[in-house]
Amino acid sequence: MSATINADLFSKYFGNAPTIHIPGLTFPVQELFLEDVLEKTRYADADISSVYKSYSASTRQSLEAWSGSETDLGLVEATIEYICRHEGPGAILVFLTGWDEISKLLDNVKSNNFIGDPSKFLVLPLHGSMPTINQREIFDRPPSGMRKIVLATNIAESSITIDDVVYVIDCGKAKETSYDALNKLACLLPSWISQASAHQRRGRAGRVQPGICYRLYPKMVHDAMLQYQLPEILRTPLQELCLQIKSLQLGAIGSFLAKALQPPDALSVQNAVELLKTIGALDDAEELTPLGRHLCTLPVEPNIGKMLLMGSIFQCVNPALTIAAALASRSPFVLPINRKEEADEAKRFFAGDSCSDHIALLKAFEGWKEAKRSGNEKSFCWENFLSIQTLKMISDMRLQFLDLLSDIGFVDKSKGANVYNQYSDDMEMVCAILCAGLYPNVAQCKRRGKRTALYTKEVGKVDIHPASVNAGVHIFPLPYLVYSEKVKTSSVYIRDSTNISDYALLMFGGNLIPSKNGDGIEMLDGYLQFSASKSVLGLIKKLRGEVDRLLKRKIEDPKLDVNVEGKGVVAALVELLHNQNVRY
DNA sequence: GAGCACTGC
């Protein structure tokens, strides 16, 4: 490794430090594996295996039937019951993989008759997107005689500490992001945790007294687990890192990354470099363009950085700041376990008829600001399923972005906010800025009878994520969706999306390439095709040429006053974008 | 019809 790379960059991308155990700070925790747990709980009855000769027939049977593919919630429940019946007082912490398991187990445990007197048990879900995360009762000790049972994700592994836990039940899995370089796709799938994580989970039982950890997987699975999780550089898209490498002048991207302790796949690097070229941050020689140099100063993904710049240039900086900050943090929408439909409804209300999750984020944020001014922040957030804490983070981040835009000259604070917000209430313009930032994340909407099917260049057919405001839309008014993220879970989903017009794409998408037969325009290596009469095509190309020239001048000289120098171009753009329902 | 978690400027 080069000595010039700073420590933060190193730890972010080149490996996670193992959890350090400091003797004396925690109490010893007894460790039971699946074979022992089955023996104790008598979870199942009947037959054989040779490795586990010393165990009872029923245990051997269950081990044989044991499948690593999904968490056996029945076994989890049996273990909880065993602890409640046979072990002393103390909170139980259960590690599960996600929302679904937490929700199911919560229902099961609450209806289980071992609970007997429900007043003796406090069962709490704990998940990053559930509102319980901010509630005291997770941390508080329950009254004596009452047992607290917390059903949690990884969040309880290190970010949230519940002191009074004495028993840990570990399913051994967690959802983990990985990157599929072939399909240019992020994946979020359950996988075995590392031994380091398993150790950390166990340690959660020993903060106030000696504890017990019930591992619901065999010892041999534990022994086969990776010692540590794969370093992040092997699991994520690399565009932001590649941009940093250029800005730190660390040499050619490919050869620099090849020197990493665990070098990323060459295809991942190639994908990142290609994306940076597509959005105009790198030139053909892989050198930073003026746009690329500005993006280096913005601490976000290059796409989001571009959205910020374009928002400030085209005078809708407030929406651009809000949406960029929202995309860079977690979603402000919370999902209470039993009120999913109402939560969906609240989100759709903010979206109105925009067919846009990004507009929903924008309107939710603006609604919060307004509610705060009029003193009913709390009730507004409660009624609309919003997290005050997350909205505050978004608000802080927004101001940081504004400072950075001001540092690089794209916003002059002395001129006042209005100058930069002339089109902030013009949703066509805001959607065009979204297109400028999110390109090449474009899906085509193709009508299939009464529904619309969506296609992307890399993976073909994709689905709209069920949490999106666009999930229930059958027919979209406009022919494309731009999206922030494509993720593979149970299917390939586009998460946050916005419906946009041909014109938005033609003005703010990739370069316009004349099609082979000469009477149309192509984009994304021919994946997107536009046809129109010669005269309309000529006008489109001309206006796009003007837009590109204005952008080039502005980016090379951020002090340039678009209101003066680009007045005609911007006016023409706005008029064109408002004409978006005209088909040709 | 589905929502692991973190981090930095």
Side-chain angles (χ1 to χ4, degrees):
Chain A
M1 286 304 308
S2 159
T4 55
I5 195 161
N6 70 51
D8 290 338
L9 195 64
F10 184 90
S11 64
K12 173 167 180 188
Y13 289 105
F14 293 84
N16 300 324
T19 305
I20 299 165
H21 177 72
I22 303 168
L25 278 191
T26 55
F27 292 88
V29 176
Q30 186 195 350
E31 187 174 49
L32 303 172
F33 287 98
L34 178 65
E35 39 275 42
D36 312 306
V37 178
L38 290 173
E39 209 46 31
K40 274 179 181 284
T41 59
R42 301 277 162 189
Y43 174 57
D45 11 37
D47 212 32
I48 326 278
S49 171
S50 54
V51 191
Y52 299 102
K53 273 201 282 289
S54 58
Y55 295 93
S56 71
S58 64
T59 294
R60 278 178 277 148
Q61 162 75 23
S62 283
L63 279 170
E64 280 192 342
W66 181 77
S67 125
S69 65
E70 46 190 70
T71 307
D72 183 343
L73 294 180
L75 175 59
V76 178
E77 211 181 334
T79 309
I80 295 173
E81 180 170 352
Y82 174 84
I83 296 167
C84 292
R85 287 190 192 283
H86 300 101
E87 297 289 354
I92 305 175
L93 173 60
V94 187
F95 283 102
L96 299 163
T97 61
W99 209 97
D100 201 39
E101 286 179 3
I102 292 174
S103 171
K104 277 185 194 156
L105 190 62
L106 190 69
D107 284 348
N108 295 351
V109 169
K110 281 189 168 168
S111 61
N112 187 315
N113 53 16
F114 78 77
I115 289 276
D117 181 358
S119 68
K120 290 194 170 156
F121 297 90
L122 180 63
V123 192
L124 300 168
L126 179 60
H127 183 287
S129 61
M130 287 176 191
T132 50
I133 193 156
N134 298 318
Q135 287 166 15
R136 281 299 326 167
E137 52 179 356
I138 292 278
F139 303 102
D140 287 344
R141 289 188 188 219
S144 79
M146 183 185 267
R147 192 189 291 272
K148 185 167 73 180
I149 302 172
V150 180
L151 313 181
T153 60
N154 246 1
I155 198 166
E157 192 175 297
S158 53
S159 26
I160 284 180
T161 299
I162 304 161
D163 268 320
D164 54 336
V165 169
V166 178
Y167 308 96
V168 160
I169 301 176
D170 178 14
C171 75
K173 296 202 158 186
K175 285 192 186 167
E176 194 180 63
T177 52
S178 51
Y179 178 65
D180 173 355
L182 269 182
N183 296 307
K184 304 183 183 177
L185 195 68
C187 304
L188 182 61
L189 300 167
S191 63
W192 290 110
I193 59 174
S194 64
Q195 289 178 2
S197 282
H199 182 85
Q200 173 71 7
R201 287 180 176 191
R202 186 183 76 180
R204 293 282 147 178
R207 296 189 59 89
V208 288
Q209 64 174 79
I212 306 178
C213 176
Y214 299 78
R215 303 197 179 288
L216 303 187
Y217 45 92
K219 174 96 168 53
M220 54 192 293
V221 167
H222 179 267
D223 293 344
M225 284 171 170
L226 289 177
Q227 201 176 359
Y228 304 111
Q229 190 186 31
L230 277 185
E232 189 170 330
I233 196 174
L234 302 180
R235 294 188 292 115
T236 54
L238 302 173
Q239 47 262 28
E240 202 185 341
L241 177 63
C242 289
L243 203 60
Q244 287 184 62
I245 290 169
K246 290 310 292 187
S247 85
L248 293 168
Q249 300 183 310
L250 298 171
I253 292 170
S255 51
F256 178 77
L257 283 174
K259 289 184 281 187
L261 290 175
Q262 299 190 46
D265 191 309
L267 190 57
S268 305
V269 181
Q270 192 188 319
N271 288 346
V273 170
E274 259 170 31
L275 179 101
L276 292 170
K277 288 179 181 172
T278 302
I279 69 171
L282 293 179
D283 62 21
D284 289 340
E286 276 185 29
E287 293 304 325
L288 285 175
T289 62
L291 172 65
R293 274 192 287 277
H294 291 309
L295 294 180
C296 291
T297 67
L298 298 169
V300 284
E301 293 280 318
N303 286 79
I304 298 181
K306 191 171 171 185
M307 190 185 298
L308 285 168
L309 294 179
M310 295 294 276
S312 70
I313 295 170
F314 289 98
Q315 299 143 47
C316 44
V317 78
N318 277 345
L321 287 166
T322 303
I323 295 169
L327 293 180
S329 36
R330 73 160 75 220
S331 167
F333 290 100
V334 292
L335 300 161
I337 212 152
N338 289 323
R339 301 176 66 197
K340 289 190 289 194
E341 282 74 21
E342 291 167 76
D344 282 353
E345 185 49 48
K347 198 169 170 185
R348 276 196 298 270
F349 169 77
F350 286 119
D353 60 1
S354 66
C355 290
S356 168
D357 294 299
H358 305 101
I359 303 279
L361 285 167
L362 175 65
K363 297 294 177 190
F365 182 86
E366 288 174 350
W368 167 65
K369 280 280 179 199
E370 183 55 43
K372 226 172 120 169
R373 269 193 293 273
S374 52
N376 53 3
E377 176 185 29
K378 268 195 169 170
S379 62
F380 177 84
C381 287
W382 175 257
E383 284 159 18
N384 291 289
F385 301 91
L386 289 163
S387 156
I388 293 181
Q389 208 185 329
T390 309
L391 286 165
K392 280 193 177 128
M393 283 176 60
I394 293 172
S395 182
D396 290 345
M397 197 184 290
R398 246 182 127 260
L399 294 177
Q400 283 185 37
F401 289 166
L402 183 60
D403 284 343
L404 290 164
L405 286 175
S406 151
D407 289 347
I408 58 177
F410 279 84
V411 169
D412 179 349
K413 287 183 175 175
S414 69
K415 285 185 177 172
N418 287 346
V419 179
Y420 298 99
N421 286 295
Q422 213 168 321
Y423 298 107
S424 290
D425 295 322
D426 181 335
M427 290 305 117
E428 272 76 30
M429 191 56 150
V430 172
C431 287
I433 295 309
L434 281 164
C435 173
L438 298 176
Y439 184 85
N441 291 346
V442 184
Q444 303 191 56
C445 307
K446 292 190 179 173
R447 187 125 174 216
R448 296 276 180 273
K450 289 186 176 171
R451 288 172 177 274
T452 302
L454 300 167
Y455 295 87
T456 64
K457 186 186 171 202
E458 297 83 15
V459 296
K461 196 171 183 313
V462 293
D463 292 320
I464 292 171
H465 195 278
S468 164
V469 299
N470 287 330
V473 178
H474 291 165
I475 306 289
F476 288 94
L478 303 169
Y480 301 97
L481 288 173
V482 283
Y483 57 88
S484 345
E485 203 184 9
K486 186 147 79 317
V487 185
K488 180 179 173 177
T489 53
S490 56
S491 169
V492 179
Y493 291 110
I494 54 173
R495 277 216 174 130
D496 292 321
S497 54
T498 291
N499 196 208
I500 58 154
S501 65
D502 307 88
Y503 293 140
L505 204 47
L506 285 163
M507 291 301 122
F508 288 116
N511 292 332
L512 306 183
I513 310 293
S515 56
K516 304 240 168 14
N517 56 20
D519 54 356
I521 294 174
E522 294 184 356
M523 207 182 281
L524 263 188
D525 302 320
Y527 182 71
L528 303 175
Q529 303 189 332
F530 308 84
S531 57
S533 69
K534 261 211 164 71
S535 60
V536 171
L537 279 183
L539 287 170
I540 286 172
K541 283 186 205 161
K542 190 154 175 256
L543 182 55
R544 173 66 189 259
E546 294 292 329
V547 171
D548 286 349
R549 255 187 302 281
L550 178 65
L551 275 174
K552 187 163 183 285
R553 287 177 63 200
K554 173 73 180 173
I555 283 167
E556 281 167 7
D557 173 20
K559 298 267 180 284
L560 184 102
D561 191 339
V562 173
N563 276 322
V564 176
E565 307 278 337
K567 204 162 189 158
V569 181
V570 176
L573 251 181
V574 170
E575 194 175 331
L576 182 70
L577 292 171
H578 281 247
N579 247 337
Q580 58 194 4
N581 290 319
V582 178
R583 277 290 111 75
Y584 52 84

